[in-house]
Amino acid sequence: MEKQDNPKVVYSESIHLEQTLGQDKLPNASVEKLEEENKMLGTNVIRLEEENLMLREMFNNANNELAALKRPSLLVADVISIDQNKSVIKLPNGNKFYSYVAKDLKDIHSGDAVLVDQKSLNIVDKLTVNNNMEVEKFIILEKPQESWKEIGGLKQEVQEVKEVIELPLKKPKLFAKVGIEPPKGVLLYGPPGTGKTLLAKAVAHSTNATFIQVVGSELVQKFIGEGAKLVKEIFALARSKAPAIVFIDEIDALAAIRVDLGTSGEREVNRTFMQLLAELDGFKPLDDVKIIGATNRIDILDPAIIRPGRLDRLIEVGLPNEEGRGEVFKVHTRKMNLQNVNMSQIVALTENFSGAELKAVCTEAGFFAIRDNREYVTHNDFTQAVEKLQLTENDEETGRFFG
Ligand code: ATP
């Protein structure tokens, strides 16, 4: 074997040579050369030892992976009911089983998704984190910053939302003492851009609740075949983040009256809707999860969604009247640098404008000032902005377009 091939052997040989000959018996140059060689071989040994260690680690990892791959996979099931270490589970094919729960598993509740052993069908683990992370991709989850102060007008509507959503979340005991059950949720209906989302966010802010926003049409269009499962997971997520408000915008996409359930798409929407009803029926009025539905199409809504015990409080959010428009302008001009703006005149010019359109008037007016190289906004900027929006609105087939 070549010396270089086995540095360990060379290393020990050179030491041996030094020891037998004695340093004084070798010429100085040779000693130096040997010492240098010795040093180099020493470094090689360290490097090889490190390499050896690394290879061992790789080997162990591959072994572990192999062992994991050889393990039988687990089934995902839903917990129907649970009592300490016994549970009724339902497999995706609909079959139900009575199974046992692994001893060290805590915090399993009905409705949870769990992992079960293929043979014994006993619950071996909980499937929470991944599920919730999945569902978080499909929703907006936030702690909104919008307060009641950001809402112009809508006094009556604010009052009702406070009564139905805020009060039960803040003072559940009061309802228990009086002996009445607050609604589980409300349905806000009215034209686009009138502040329905804003109301829902403001009540989440005032109750410090997690705000979970779902768009009905997205739920049924984007996640074909997944809608019902997602509804279920959204509510499980809401329970885990309680106090929480689930805001379902465009709820009509899920909950419209369907005359024909012939197509698979319609059946899918229907399944999603049924799951939503099941979720609404499944929790108690004083649980700290509330549902707010919103729609522009109350006329096509399936009455099942507004039956007692579901979204049985209906709040109409209409276009603002003159006073309301003044209030909305107040909110949106709060931070604007205005000069000689006669707001009541602008209010008079904006009949039939929604809150969102009034906000757009303010933004447009600001742009007119910027284009004119000014740092203040004038009355003329506002009138031009109103005209511009009226023109654009006439161009739009649907009329209202600001969200
Ligand atoms: P859609 O039906 O299209 O979902 P919406 O009724 O939920 O509309 P919002 O999204 O709440 O309307 O309103 C859009 C924006 O318009 C708000 O973020 C807010 O800036 C403004 N706005 C609407 N109504 C009001 C209001 N009453 N006071 C102040 N701002 C408002």
Side-chain angles (χ1 to χ4, degrees), residues 71-108:
R71 257 198 327 249
S73 51
L74 298 164
L75 292 172
V76 177
D78 292 324
V79 176
I80 303 293
S81 61
I82 184 152
D83 179 19
Q84 290 177 0
N85 67 337
K86 284 164 267 165
S87 164
V88 175
I89 56 160
K90 189 164 122 188
L91 295 182
N93 62 9
N95 290 344
K96 288 182 189 164
F97 291 90
Y98 182 82
S99 55
Y100 291 90
V101 185
K103 256 189 188 159
D104 49 343
L105 267 182
K106 300 268 179 292
D107 269 352
I108 301 236

Side-chain angles (χ1 to χ4, degrees), residues 306-344:
I306 49 177
R307 277 206 194 114
R310 293 177 181 159
L311 304 185
D312 51 9
R313 186 70 83 96
L314 269 66
I315 303 177
E316 183 175 6
V317 189
L319 291 175
N321 60 14
E322 198 167 326
E323 192 192 339
R325 294 201 297 280
E327 297 289 330
V328 177
F329 272 130
K330 254 188 217 156
V331 170
H332 292 291
T333 53
R334 211 178 275 150
K335 291 184 187 152
M336 289 175 80
N337 187 8
L338 303 184
Q339 208 167 80
N340 298 328
V341 180
N342 182 344
M343 255 318 160
S344 49

Side-chain angles (χ1 to χ4, degrees), residues 162 165-178 180 182 207 286:
K162 280 186 176 172
I165 306 282
E166 187 185 67
L167 203 59
L169 283 176
K170 282 189 170 170
K171 295 182 177 166
K173 281 186 188 150
L174 178 66
F175 285 82
K177 275 185 193 157
V178 177
I180 57 162
T207 51
L286 283 173

Side-chain angles (χ1 to χ4, degrees), residues 17-18 25-37:
L17 189 70
E18 245 176 53
K25 290 181 188 153
L26 281 168
N28 271 351
S30 306
V31 172
E32 265 168 30
K33 200 171 153 230
L34 275 172
E35 268 173 355
E36 205 165 296
E37 243 174 56

